[in-house]
Coordinates of all heavy atoms in Angstrom, one line a residue:
Q183 N -1.4 -9.4 35.4 CA -1.7 -10.2 36.7 C -2.5 -11.5 36.2 O -3.4 -11.5 35.4 CB -2.6 -9.3 37.6 CG -3.0 -10.0 38.9 CD -3.9 -9.1 39.8 OE1 -5.1 -9.2 39.5 NE2 -3.4 -8.4 40.7
Y184 N -2.1 -12.6 36.8 CA -2.7 -13.8 36.4 C -2.9 -14.7 37.6 O -2.3 -14.4 38.7 CB -1.8 -14.6 35.4 CG -0.5 -15.1 35.9 CD1 -0.5 -16.5 36.4 CD2 0.6 -14.3 36.0 CE1 0.7 -16.9 36.9 CE2 1.8 -14.8 36.5 CZ 1.8 -16.1 36.9 OH 3.0 -16.6 37.5
G185 N -3.6 -15.8 37.4 CA -3.9 -16.8 38.5 C -5.4 -16.7 38.9 O -5.9 -15.8 39.5
E186 N -6.2 -17.7 38.4 CA -7.6 -17.9 38.6 C -7.9 -19.3 39.0 O -7.2 -20.3 38.7 CB -8.5 -17.5 37.3 CG -8.2 -16.1 36.8 CD -8.8 -15.1 37.7 OE1 -9.7 -15.4 38.5 OE2 -8.3 -13.8 37.7
V187 N -9.0 -19.4 39.7 CA -9.4 -20.7 40.2 C -9.9 -21.5 38.9 O -10.6 -20.9 38.1 CB -10.6 -20.6 41.2 CG1 -11.2 -22.0 41.5 CG2 -10.1 -20.0 42.5
G188 N -9.5 -22.7 38.9 CA -9.8 -23.5 37.7 C -8.7 -23.6 36.7 O -8.8 -24.4 35.8
D189 N -7.7 -22.8 36.8 CA -6.6 -22.9 36.0 C -5.8 -24.2 36.2 O -5.7 -24.8 37.3 CB -5.5 -21.8 36.1 CG -6.1 -20.4 35.7 OD1 -7.1 -20.4 34.9 OD2 -5.6 -19.4 36.1
E190 N -5.2 -24.8 35.0 CA -4.4 -26.0 35.2 C -3.0 -25.6 35.8 O -2.5 -24.6 35.4 CB -4.2 -26.6 33.8 CG -3.5 -27.9 33.9 CD -3.3 -28.6 32.6 OE1 -3.9 -28.0 31.6 OE2 -2.6 -29.6 32.4
F191 N -2.7 -26.4 36.8 CA -1.4 -26.1 37.5 C -0.2 -26.1 36.6 O -0.1 -27.1 35.9 CB -1.3 -27.0 38.7 CG 0.0 -26.8 39.4 CD1 0.2 -25.7 40.3 CD2 1.1 -27.7 39.3 CE1 1.3 -25.5 40.9 CE2 2.3 -27.5 39.9 CZ 2.5 -26.4 40.8
D192 N 0.6 -25.1 36.6 CA 1.8 -25.1 35.8 C 3.0 -24.7 36.7 O 2.9 -23.6 37.3 CB 1.6 -24.1 34.6 CG 2.8 -24.1 33.6 OD1 3.9 -24.8 34.0 OD2 2.8 -23.6 32.6
P193 N 3.9 -25.7 37.0 CA 5.0 -25.3 37.9 C 5.9 -24.2 37.5 O 6.5 -23.5 38.3 CB 5.8 -26.6 38.0 CG 5.4 -27.3 36.7 CD 4.0 -27.0 36.4
R194 N 5.8 -23.8 36.2 CA 6.6 -22.6 35.8 C 5.8 -21.3 36.1 O 6.5 -20.3 36.1 CB 6.8 -22.7 34.2 CG 7.6 -23.9 33.8 CD 7.6 -24.0 32.3 NE 6.2 -24.2 31.8 CZ 5.9 -24.2 30.5 NH1 6.8 -24.1 29.5 NH2 4.6 -24.4 30.1
L195 N 4.5 -21.3 36.4 CA 3.7 -20.2 36.6 C 3.2 -20.1 38.0 O 2.8 -19.0 38.5 CB 2.6 -20.0 35.6 CG 2.9 -20.0 34.1 CD1 1.7 -20.0 33.2 CD2 3.8 -18.8 33.8
H196 N 3.0 -21.2 38.7 CA 2.4 -21.4 39.9 C 3.3 -21.9 41.0 O 4.2 -22.7 40.7 CB 1.1 -22.2 39.9 CG 0.2 -21.8 38.8 ND1 0.1 -22.3 37.5 CD2 -0.9 -20.8 38.9 CE1 -0.9 -21.7 36.9 NE2 -1.5 -20.8 37.7
E197 N 3.1 -21.4 42.2 CA 3.7 -22.0 43.4 C 2.7 -22.7 44.2 O 1.9 -21.9 44.8 CB 4.6 -20.8 44.1 CG 5.3 -21.4 45.3 CD 6.0 -20.2 46.1 OE1 6.0 -19.1 45.5 OE2 6.6 -20.5 47.1
A198 N 2.8 -23.9 44.4 CA 1.8 -24.7 45.1 C 2.2 -24.6 46.6 O 3.2 -25.2 47.1 CB 1.7 -26.1 44.7
L199 N 1.3 -23.9 47.4 CA 1.5 -23.9 48.9 C 0.7 -25.0 49.6 O 1.0 -25.2 50.7 CB 1.1 -22.5 49.3 CG 1.8 -21.3 48.7 CD1 1.4 -20.0 49.4 CD2 3.4 -21.4 48.9
M200 N -0.2 -25.6 48.9 CA -1.0 -26.6 49.5 C -1.5 -27.5 48.5 O -1.8 -27.1 47.3 CB -2.1 -26.1 50.5 CG -3.1 -25.3 49.8 SD -4.4 -24.7 50.9 CE -5.1 -26.2 51.4
Q201 N -1.8 -28.8 48.8 CA -2.3 -29.7 47.8 C -3.3 -30.7 48.6 O -3.2 -30.9 49.8 CB -1.2 -30.7 47.2 CG -0.2 -30.0 46.4 CD 0.8 -30.9 45.8 OE1 0.6 -32.2 45.8 NE2 1.9 -30.5 45.3
Q202 N -4.3 -31.1 47.8 CA -5.3 -32.1 48.3 C -5.8 -32.9 47.2 O -6.0 -32.4 46.1 CB -6.4 -31.3 49.0 CG -7.3 -30.5 48.2 CD -8.3 -29.7 48.9 OE1 -8.2 -29.5 50.1 NE2 -9.4 -29.4 48.2
P203 N -6.2 -34.2 47.5 CA -6.7 -35.0 46.4 C -8.2 -34.7 46.2 O -8.8 -34.1 47.0 CB -6.5 -36.4 47.0 CG -6.6 -36.2 48.4 CD -5.9 -34.8 48.8
S204 N -8.6 -35.0 45.0 CA -10.0 -34.7 44.6 C -10.4 -35.6 43.4 O -9.6 -35.9 42.6 CB -10.2 -33.2 44.1 OG -11.5 -32.9 43.7
D205 N -11.6 -36.1 43.6 CA -12.2 -36.9 42.5 C -12.7 -36.0 41.3 O -13.1 -36.6 40.3 CB -13.4 -37.7 43.1 CG -12.9 -38.8 44.0 OD1 -11.7 -39.1 44.0 OD2 -13.6 -39.2 45.0
D206 N -12.9 -34.7 41.5 CA -13.5 -33.9 40.6 C -12.5 -33.4 39.5 O -13.0 -32.8 38.5 CB -14.1 -32.6 41.2 CG -15.2 -33.0 42.2 OD1 -15.8 -34.0 42.0 OD2 -15.4 -32.3 43.2
V207 N -11.3 -33.7 39.6 CA -10.3 -33.2 38.6 C -9.5 -34.4 38.0 O -9.3 -35.5 38.7 CB -9.3 -32.2 39.2 CG1 -10.0 -31.0 39.7 CG2 -8.5 -32.9 40.4
E208 N -9.1 -34.2 36.8 CA -8.3 -35.3 36.1 C -6.8 -34.9 36.0 O -6.0 -35.8 35.8 CB -8.9 -35.5 34.8 CG -10.3 -36.1 34.8 CD -10.8 -36.4 33.4 OE1 -10.1 -36.0 32.4 OE2 -11.9 -36.8 33.2
T209 N -6.6 -33.6 36.1 CA -5.2 -33.1 36.1 C -5.1 -32.1 37.3 O -6.1 -31.6 37.8 CB -4.9 -32.3 34.8 OG1 -5.8 -31.2 34.7 CG2 -5.0 -33.2 33.6
P210 N -3.8 -31.8 37.8 CA -3.6 -30.9 38.8 C -4.3 -29.5 38.4 O -4.0 -29.0 37.4 CB -2.1 -30.8 38.9 CG -1.6 -32.1 38.3 CD -2.5 -32.4 37.3
T211 N -5.1 -29.1 39.3 CA -6.0 -27.9 39.0 C -5.9 -26.9 40.3 O -6.0 -27.3 41.4 CB -7.4 -28.3 38.8 OG1 -7.4 -29.2 37.7 CG2 -8.2 -27.1 38.3
V212 N -5.9 -25.7 40.0 CA -5.9 -24.6 41.0 C -7.3 -24.5 41.5 O -8.3 -24.2 40.8 CB -5.4 -23.3 40.4 CG1 -5.5 -22.2 41.5 CG2 -4.0 -23.3 39.9
F213 N -7.5 -24.6 42.9 CA -8.7 -24.5 43.5 C -8.7 -23.3 44.5 O -9.8 -22.9 45.0 CB -9.2 -25.7 44.2 CG -8.4 -26.0 45.6 CD1 -9.0 -25.5 46.8 CD2 -7.2 -26.5 45.6 CE1 -8.3 -25.7 48.0 CE2 -6.6 -26.8 46.8 CZ -7.1 -26.3 48.0
L214 N -7.6 -22.7 44.7 CA -7.5 -21.5 45.6 C -6.3 -20.7 45.2 O -5.2 -21.2 45.0 CB -7.2 -22.1 47.1 CG -7.1 -21.0 48.2 CD1 -8.4 -20.0 48.2 CD2 -6.7 -21.5 49.5
V215 N -6.6 -19.3 45.1 CA -5.5 -18.5 44.7 C -5.3 -17.6 46.0 O -6.1 -16.8 46.4 CB -5.9 -17.5 43.6 CG1 -4.8 -16.5 43.3 CG2 -6.2 -18.4 42.3
M216 N -4.1 -17.8 46.6 CA -3.7 -17.0 47.8 C -3.2 -15.7 47.4 O -3.5 -14.7 48.0 CB -2.7 -17.8 48.6 CG -3.3 -19.2 49.0 SD -2.0 -20.3 49.9 CE -2.9 -21.8 50.0
Q217 N -2.3 -15.7 46.5 CA -1.7 -14.4 46.0 C -1.6 -14.5 44.4 O -1.1 -15.5 44.0 CB -0.3 -14.1 46.6 CG -0.5 -13.8 48.1 CD 0.9 -13.5 48.7 OE1 2.0 -14.0 48.2 NE2 0.9 -12.7 49.8
P218 N -2.1 -13.6 43.7 CA -1.9 -13.6 42.2 C -0.5 -13.5 41.8 O 0.4 -13.0 42.5 CB -2.8 -12.5 41.7 CG -2.8 -11.5 42.8 CD -2.7 -12.3 44.0
G219 N -0.3 -14.0 40.5 CA 1.1 -13.9 40.1 C 1.2 -12.7 39.1 O 0.2 -12.1 38.6
Y220 N 2.4 -12.2 38.8 CA 2.6 -11.1 37.8 C 3.7 -11.6 36.9 O 4.8 -12.1 37.3 CB 3.1 -9.8 38.7 CG 2.0 -9.3 39.5 CD1 1.9 -9.8 40.9 CD2 1.0 -8.5 39.2 CE1 1.0 -9.3 41.8 CE2 0.0 -8.0 40.0 CZ 0.0 -8.4 41.2 OH -1.0 -8.0 42.1
R221 N 3.6 -11.2 35.6 CA 4.5 -11.5 34.6 C 4.5 -10.4 33.6 O 3.6 -9.7 33.4 CB 4.2 -12.9 33.9 CG 2.9 -12.9 33.2 CD 2.5 -14.3 32.7 NE 1.2 -14.4 32.1 CZ 0.6 -15.5 31.8 NH1 1.3 -16.6 32.0 NH2 -0.6 -15.5 31.3

Side-chain angles (χ1 to χ4, degrees):
Q183 183 186 81
Y184 70 95
E186 298 291 340
V187 174
D189 291 346
E190 184 176 354
F191 176 75
D192 186 346
R194 297 171 300 177
L195 303 176
H196 303 96
E197 180 182 357
L199 300 183
M200 61 181 297
Q201 294 184 14
Q202 67 180 26
S204 175
D205 295 334
D206 298 331
V207 296
E208 297 179 356
T209 58
T211 305
V212 175
F213 76 94
L214 177 64
V215 179
M216 302 174 187
Q217 290 178 336
Y220 296 91
R221 61 187 174 188

